[in-house]
Amino acid sequence: MPKYARKNRLGFGSRIPRQLFNKSGTIIAFFACTFFLCTFLISVLFNTGNGDIYGQFSKDAVYAVIEQDETKENALSYSDIAAKLSEFPNARGAVFLELFDISGYLLFDNDPKGGFSGVFRSVNTNTDEPQLILAPAYEPLCMSINGASYLNLNGKKYRVVGNNIYKGMSGAAFYGNFAGIKDSNTKFQGLSIIIDAGKETPRLLNALNSKMSDANISSKSLSYLKKDTEGIGMDKIFVSFAVFMIGAMLITSAKASTENWAETKMSEIKARRICGANDDNIRNFIFVRYFAVCITGIMLGAAMTALSVGFTPAVYYLGSINIFAGAASAAFLALFGGISAYRFAIKISRRQIVMLRRE
Amino acid sequence: MTEFIRLAFCEIKTQIKRYIILVFEMMAAFLVIGFLCSMLSGINMTNQTVNGAGIPADYYRAKSTAVYTDGGRAINGDERQALLIEFIADNFHTEGVTGYTTPLDHPILMATDGYFDIYGLRLEKGRAFNKDEYDSDNADMPIIMGYGFINDYDIGDTYMDKFTIVGFLSDEQYIPELSGRISKGFSVNYNIYTPIKSREWLKENGVSYPTDLIYSENKSELDAINQKAEELGLYAYNFLSADEAEQILINTTSTLNIPLVLITLLITAMSLLCLVQSMLEFVRKNIVELLIHMICGAKLSNIILRVGAGTVLTAFISAAAASLAFRSASTAAVLFITAAAVTVIAVLPIAISLKLKPPIVAVKEEK
């Protein structure tokens, strides 16, 4: 078969872009916009769902309160606690820090890969630079130095790496890393700490207990606390309903756009039939073009999203943006559209030229 | 109007399935918007209860960053603290009061020159301090008393054999605490003020210079104080102006759920996308019919009306249904305005596409 014939059969001739994208602007725009909007919608929903520190830990996690007479010579400092925690390679947790009018958590994670998700991923727990994410309400407390925003906590300067817009149950103002206190020799009077070392949590607690001869340590399961504060808010019901409806709408829109798009190709199909295209050629023609158009739309959406995510304030204000969320949504919709395209292709390919001419 | 409604119903009847889905989807978006409105009305109420402290925006208060449960031991006053205060006094303009140590129930506070103006303290009677009474080391010390003393003393009386009463403050005046959580502040009814003495006098008598409010045109300049504090082994501070404190108070008391705002915006954008896409597809599908309308004398505006009729009705039915759920006139108004805006935005691409490519051209291209 001559080279040009094979090209024509699949519709990839010299006029590829014009032929391929003729009357496909709407469907391309639909997939691009869906990719873009779904990325942000799903990321914001995911970050909202994971916006609470309690939800970051396993069912073995405990909330411990350590009390001691800080004036005693053998009283523990923050660095002592940090040293003990570092002995457990899978230990994760958060120290509660309360200043006069602001409180929050300092996160630690001995696993170099990091186990925090959602908005907490913005805080690097494996760096020596003190950094935190701050609730927007407290932004006026910060000081801008050389273009970066800083907040002082417990005498240490923390760089603000993100704006935590997601209100968790704990209602904390900030979530920082451990870098600010792990070397601190300040002896504390009271310390509240979430400890999660999985199955090794009791052993870690025992190790802390043995180090603190004069301190009093009490703990309770974190899941017990979670139960106390959990509940389904009206906003969650509304959002779930809205998301369900938008999902249904997107699926129907994808189906309708695909069918409409395929119908715009009717005159081209007729022309191909007249020129001798068989059923397979027609099916391939619709199917290949549909996926080419889909992929173009998805790629356009991916580029738009990547540009937006690369634009620092988007991540700073929204937390982690998962571009795969958009990709998965668009692919899911493309699949639905693909089913419609397939059905349409089967229907059309069986029609003979006389019937097509009548339409 | 009748024609419009007839058109809209005719349009909906032909594509009933599409419009049912559209109504539900728009309703979902409007419910989220309505929920947002309810929260925003709460914020407005909060705004009304917060009163501005009246302190200029370029005056900052240094706030301790010590852990509360540690009792702030690390920054308790010591020699290093005194050195830091000296540094602040040398390098920044400050306002405030400092305690004049006398064994009294109501200690006398030495106020700086601008203290009364900055806090907006008014006199009930008597006079304010003269300029030459500040920074002077005269043995004769004038005082202004709080309203709580007004029945016990009078102007010209001598207090503790040493201080001459020159005025009384009005009742119900407060010094606001520049903190996110405390808004009311402290009453001055039982305060007694005298003009501040010279720096030398303060040093000799072991009285620290007042640094309640530190003036700075640029907040980042205050980092010099933190650098000095670190150098002295003290904890660094956060600095807060009255405006910032008020902003924190508003922010922390508001019930605004930012993620919900974002989700609402994204859902509305998606509804709009589906609406526009669905209308564009409708125009494309019915282009021949629209052309016949135009041949028969319909104007472009009639065509737009024909295409947009279903959308208008869909948007307004959804808004009305969602409004019923909230039973609030303001929420209903917002929903109807949103419905109108959604309709306009949805119809706009159609109008542009029809303007750019009239139906006759589109049909020719199709053929």
Side-chain angles (χ1 to χ4, degrees):
Chain A
M1 191 184 284
K3 204 177 174 185
Y4 74 89
R6 188 154 50 87
K7 273 186 179 175
N8 281 343
R9 188 163 61 89
L10 294 173
F12 291 106
S14 57
R15 295 165 74 193
I16 291 172
R18 205 178 154 193
Q19 279 187 357
L20 199 62
F21 302 122
N22 188 29
K23 293 172 187 167
S24 305
T26 316
I27 197 165
I28 290 175
F30 173 74
F31 277 105
C33 292
T34 304
F35 190 110
F36 181 80
L37 292 172
C38 281
T39 300
F40 283 94
L41 181 64
I42 294 171
S43 299
V44 170
L45 284 170
F46 181 78
N47 288 341
T48 308
N50 290 278
D52 196 78
I53 191 69
Y54 296 161
Q56 296 290 315
F57 301 105
S58 73
K59 60 178 171 49
D60 298 308
V62 292
Y63 193 95
V65 177
I66 303 166
E67 286 169 326
Q68 64 174 359
D69 181 355
E70 82 279 16
T71 55
K72 281 192 176 174
E73 208 170 295
N74 62 347
L76 295 173
S77 65
Y78 290 110
S79 56
D80 293 329
I81 297 290
K84 196 43 108 186
L85 292 169
S86 66
E87 290 171 16
F88 290 77
N90 61 340
R92 296 165 65 229
V95 166
F96 180 65
L97 212 61
E98 187 184 17
L99 275 63
F100 175 63
D101 54 3
I102 184 171
S103 62
Y105 288 87
L106 299 183
L107 315 175
F108 62 89
D109 191 352
N110 293 345
D111 182 0
K113 285 178 189 166
F116 290 104
S117 61
V119 71
F120 304 105
R121 284 185 82 87
S122 308
V123 181
N124 187 349
T125 48
N126 294 306
T127 177
D128 287 332
E129 182 206 23
Q131 45 180 248
L132 56 78
I133 51 169
L134 186 69
Y138 293 94
E139 231 174 9
L141 260 180
C142 298
M143 186 188 282
S144 175
I145 303 165
N146 299 328
S149 194
Y150 290 91
L151 181 75
N152 289 296
L153 295 175
N154 207 26
K156 284 278 181 184
K157 193 186 278 180
Y158 286 73
R159 186 164 65 88
V160 182
V161 293
N163 205 319
N164 182 17
I165 58 170
Y166 308 97
K167 281 179 187 171
M169 288 180 288
S170 58
F174 61 84
Y175 293 99
N177 61 7
F178 223 47
I181 60 165
K182 71 177 180 187
D183 298 324
S184 168
N185 290 321
T186 305
K187 291 176 175 177
F188 57 85
Q189 192 182 48
L191 180 77
S192 302
I193 183 170
I194 297 170
I195 302 170
D196 181 14
K199 298 286 174 214
E200 298 220 345
T201 306
R203 200 163 72 81
L204 200 159
L205 274 177
N206 284 339
L208 279 176
N209 246 332
S210 62
K211 196 170 174 73
M212 300 178 292
S213 49
D214 290 333
N216 173 33
I217 180 164
S218 60
S219 65
K220 66 165 110 175
S221 168
L222 192 67
S223 40
Y224 179 78
L225 274 176
K226 268 155 78 174
K227 267 182 200 161
D228 275 359
T229 44
E230 263 173 4
I232 303 171
M234 283 306 279
D235 52 345
K236 278 186 185 171
I237 296 170
F238 277 121
V239 170
S240 308
F241 176 63
V243 167
F244 174 75
M245 290 310 298
I246 201 83
M249 185 65 195
L250 284 174
I251 289 169
T252 32
S253 286
K255 189 173 169 282
S257 332
T258 311
E259 282 171 1
N260 289 331
W261 170 82
E263 272 171 25
T264 63
K265 301 286 168 195
M266 282 301 280
S267 42
E268 217 175 325
I269 292 167
K270 285 174 205 170
R272 280 167 189 274
R273 262 282 195 242
I274 291 164
C275 294
N278 60 23
D279 291 0
D280 282 348
N281 297 146
I282 298 298
R283 273 202 297 271
N284 284 345
F285 166 75
I286 295 173
F287 224 57
V288 169
R289 286 190 177 221
Y290 171 73
F291 279 107
V293 163
C294 274
I295 289 165
T296 309
I298 289 172
M299 279 169 65
L300 196 67
M304 275 160 61
T305 315
L307 277 174
S308 310
V309 172
F311 178 56
T312 319
V315 178
Y316 183 87
Y317 287 105
L318 301 179
S320 61
I321 304 292
N322 193 348
I323 203 161
F324 294 106
S329 317
F332 181 70
L333 291 177
L335 193 72
F336 261 91
I339 294 168
S340 302
Y342 178 75
R343 287 175 60 187
F344 183 82
I346 296 285
K347 195 171 84 180
I348 293 298
S349 64
R350 285 176 188 160
R351 285 187 198 169
Q352 292 310 305
I353 188 67
V354 183
M355 281 175 74
L356 286 170
R357 270 183 179 154
R358 273 188 206 146
E359 285 176 3
Chain B
M1 189 66 189
T2 326
E3 178 66 6
F4 174 79
I5 294 170
R6 198 184 62 77
L7 263 177
F9 274 111
C10 179
E11 161 68 20
I12 288 172
K13 217 168 82 181
T14 52
Q15 297 185 69
I16 189 78
K17 213 168 77 183
R18 185 175 78 109
Y19 278 105
I20 287 173
I21 296 169
L22 262 176
V23 165
F24 272 106
E25 196 266 336
M26 294 293 290
M27 247 177 76
F30 284 140
L31 282 175
V32 180
I33 293 169
F35 190 67
L36 198 69
C37 289
S38 316
M39 290 193 302
L40 288 172
S41 62
I43 292 162
N44 289 339
M45 281 167 65
T46 310
N47 269 333
Q48 285 160 12
T49 58
V50 177
N51 294 313
I55 301 170
D58 36 19
Y59 276 95
Y60 294 89
R61 187 174 192 111
K63 301 195 66 62
S64 160
T65 65
V67 173
Y68 193 46
T69 46
D70 289 350
R73 283 183 306 108
I75 60 149
N76 271 356
D78 59 9
E79 267 186 37
R80 293 175 301 165
Q81 190 77 26
L83 284 171
L84 185 65
I85 289 171
E86 279 294 305
F87 173 82
I88 297 170
D90 287 343
N91 294 284
F92 293 90
H93 171 72
T94 64
E95 298 286 357
V97 289
T98 186
Y100 177 57
T101 47
T102 49
L104 303 168
D105 287 344
H106 304 291
I108 296 170
L109 302 167
M110 289 187 182
T112 53
D113 192 358
Y115 181 81
F116 290 91
D117 285 341
I118 281 174
Y119 286 112
L121 297 177
R122 300 176 312 277
L123 288 173
E124 183 71 17
K125 61 178 181 179
R127 65 164 178 89
F129 298 133
N130 296 323
K131 282 274 174 199
D132 56 358
E133 286 170 332
Y134 289 101
D135 297 324
S136 111
D137 295 339
N138 284 348
D140 182 30
M141 295 170 79
I143 55 168
I144 292 175
M145 298 182 115
Y147 190 81
F149 297 99
I150 205 159
N151 296 326
D152 305 325
Y153 299 95
D154 207 352
I155 303 286
D157 285 358
T158 305
Y159 182 67
M160 295 293 291
D161 302 328
K162 192 174 178 183
F163 307 100
T164 311
I165 300 166
V166 297
F168 286 92
L169 293 172
S170 298
D171 195 12
E172 292 200 351
Q173 296 193 90
Y174 297 89
I175 297 295
E177 171 62 29
L178 298 192
S179 166
R181 286 186 186 170
I182 301 162
S183 60
K184 195 176 177 185
F186 303 107
S187 168
V188 296
N189 271 7
Y190 289 95
N191 283 5
I192 303 169
Y193 295 102
T194 187
I196 192 146
K197 297 270 187 192
S198 68
R199 288 273 304 275
E200 292 71 31
W201 188 96
L202 294 174
K203 258 186 196 175
E204 278 169 24
N205 289 275
V207 179
S208 61
Y209 195 80
T211 52
D212 301 12
L213 293 172
I214 305 164
Y215 175 80
S216 175
E217 280 180 8
N218 184 355
K219 193 177 180 180
S220 58
E221 286 170 1
L222 299 172
D223 190 45
I225 297 172
N226 280 343
Q227 283 175 13
K228 184 68 182 177
E230 279 171 29
E231 196 183 293
L232 293 167
L234 295 169
Y235 278 13
Y237 295 88
N238 289 321
F239 296 92
L240 201 63
S241 71
D243 287 1
E244 289 169 343
E246 194 171 312
Q247 195 54 53
I248 290 177
L249 183 67
I250 291 168
N251 292 346
T252 49
T253 49
S254 84
T255 50
L256 179 66
N257 188 337
I258 300 172
L260 195 64
V261 176
L262 281 171
I263 291 166
T264 308
L265 289 176
L266 287 167
I267 287 176
T268 313
M270 279 186 167
S271 318
L272 211 57
L273 170 72
C274 293
L275 212 60
V276 170
Q277 189 248 5
S278 140
M279 284 171 75
L280 283 170
E281 297 292 0
F282 172 77
V283 170
R284 176 173 285 168
K285 232 174 167 177
N286 298 287
I287 195 77
V288 179
E289 187 202 323
L290 298 178
L291 177 65
I292 293 166
H293 282 304
M294 285 194 96
I295 290 167
C296 295
K299 290 176 190 165
L300 191 63
S301 55
N302 297 111
I303 298 296
I304 292 169
L305 198 69
R306 161 83 177 87
V307 176
T311 307
V312 173
L313 211 64
T314 310
F316 281 85
I317 287 174
S318 317
S323 303
L324 288 175
F326 294 98
R327 292 175 189 177
S328 152
S330 55
T331 306
V334 170
L335 293 182
F336 278 103
I337 291 167
T338 314
V342 162
T343 313
V344 170
I345 297 169
V347 170
L348 215 58
I350 307 295
I352 293 168
S353 78
L354 286 173
K355 193 92 183 159
L356 291 177
K357 197 190 278 182
I360 186 77
V361 179
V363 170
K364 268 185 185 170
E365 270 185 18
E366 191 75 26
K367 293 291 161 194

